[in-house]
Amino acid sequence: MGKAIAIDGPSASGKSSVSKGVAAALGFIYVDSGALYRGVTWQAIRKGVDTKDAAAVLESMLNAEWDFFVQEGASVFSIDGEVPVQELREKDVREAVADVAALPEVRKFVVENLQALENFGSVVMEGRDIGTVVFPESPYKFYLDADPEERAMRRYRELVAAGEDEKAHEVMESLKKRDQIDATRKADPLVVAPGAQVIDSTAMNLEEVIQAVINAVKEDV
Ligand code: DC
C-alpha cells in the first residue's frame, strides 16, 4: 500500500498548486478530490437532473460508469467513457457542487473511490476531509489556510487568467458562501484534522509552502 499525504483547506488556499508541486517533487500521484464531487455534479446536470433533488442525483451517480486511471502523474476519471476536465470548472457546476458534496451518500461513494486510489501508488490528495475521513491514519496531514481576501484575490486572478468575465467582489461573495457551506454542513465539515500541521500561506510564496510540506515528510519518503 502506498503512502498518502493529505492536504486540506478552504477554497483557494493554494491546495492544488501545493499538492501538484509536492507530488511532482516526490514522484507521488496527485489527486484532486474536489474534481470527483464536481464530476458527480456535472454528470447530474448533463442528464438534466435537478441538483437539489438528492434522490435523483444519487440515482444518476450510481447508474453512471466510473473508471479511474493515472495519467502524467495525476489521477483521472471517466464518467460513461468521457473525461470531463474543463467542464468541471464551469459556472453551473461551481454553483451546485457544494450542495451535492453535502449529500452523505455522495460523500460515501467519493470517499470509497478516493481510498481505492492508493492501489495505484503513493498519493498527494487535496480536499476538505482527506485528513479527517479519507486517510485519518496518515501521519502526513496538512491544513493550508490564508486570509479570505488573499484567497479571493488568488481565485479572481485564476478566473480572469482562464478568460472568465468575473467581478472581484462577486468572487469574494461566492467564496464566502462556499466556505460557509463547507464548514457548517453536517457531513464531514471542513475542520483541521487531529495531528494536522497548519500552514498559513497568506505571506508565503508557492515554493515556500511546497518546501514546508516536503520538509515535514521527507525523512520518511
Ligand atoms: O476543491 P474544489 O473547489 O474543487 O471542491 C469542490 C467542492 O467539493 C467544494 O464545495 C468542496 C467540496 N469538497 C469536499 O466536500 N470534500 C473534498 N474532499 C473536496 C471537495
Side-chain angles (χ1 to χ4, degrees):
M1 196 63 89
K3 293 186 170 56
I5 298 178
I7 304 203
D8 291 306
S11 293
S13 56
K15 297 186 301 290
S16 304
S17 313
V18 170
S19 303
K20 282 179 192 159
V22 172
L26 299 177
F28 285 17
I29 300 161
Y30 162 68
V31 185
D32 171 8
S33 69
L36 262 165
Y37 292 100
R38 289 169 184 263
V40 174
T41 309
W42 173 73
Q43 60 81 36
I45 292 172
R46 198 172 58 138
K47 289 181 201 150
V49 168
D50 174 2
T51 52
K52 300 259 182 215
D53 182 344
V57 170
L58 296 182
E59 196 193 334
S60 80
M61 173 184 85
L62 295 172
N63 282 334
E65 169 135 355
W66 295 75
D67 269 311
F68 294 83
F69 46 99
V70 175
Q71 212 169 53
E72 294 172 11
S75 108
V76 180
F77 58 86
S78 65
I79 309 173
D80 293 328
E82 280 187 64
V83 179
V85 179
Q86 217 31 58
E87 294 85 340
L88 302 181
R89 305 274 141 203
E90 281 167 8
K91 200 163 188 163
D92 50 353
V93 172
R94 210 187 320 146
E95 283 178 352
V97 66
D99 287 326
V100 171
L103 301 173
E105 295 88 344
V106 169
R107 303 202 66 81
K108 182 167 180 286
F109 171 84
V110 170
V111 167
E112 284 171 2
N113 281 295
L114 291 172
Q115 288 169 334
L117 294 176
E118 249 193 330
N119 295 322
F120 288 107
S122 294
V123 297
V124 181
M125 189 175 290
E126 62 149 306
R128 305 292 192 291
D129 62 341
I130 311 307
T132 48
V133 177
V134 182
F135 295 120
E137 305 298 331
S138 169
Y140 315 114
K141 297 180 207 167
F142 299 87
Y143 185 94
L144 289 195
D145 210 350
D147 289 349
E149 292 75 21
E150 172 66 18
R151 293 192 284 115
M153 272 322 287
R154 288 179 190 172
R155 181 52 49 91
Y156 172 68
R157 281 188 228 112
E158 250 170 50
L159 290 168
V160 169
E164 300 244 2
D165 179 22
E166 294 281 343
K167 310 255 180 317
H169 71 274
E170 284 175 12
V171 174
M172 180 82 196
E173 283 313 306
S174 135
L175 206 74
K176 270 194 192 149
K177 202 163 113 197
R178 288 230 322 242
D179 280 357
Q180 170 78 4
I181 299 178
D182 291 343
T184 58
R185 69 176 178 225
K186 282 207 188 71
D188 312 331
L190 172 65
V191 292
V192 180
Q197 180 175 333
V198 179
I199 302 178
D200 185 331
S201 73
T202 308
M204 292 167 84
N205 68 34
L206 177 59
E207 273 318 308
E208 290 170 328
V209 184
I210 292 173
Q211 208 47 56
V213 173
I214 292 174
N215 289 344
V217 301
K218 85 169 169 222
E219 284 104 69
D220 296 317
V221 297

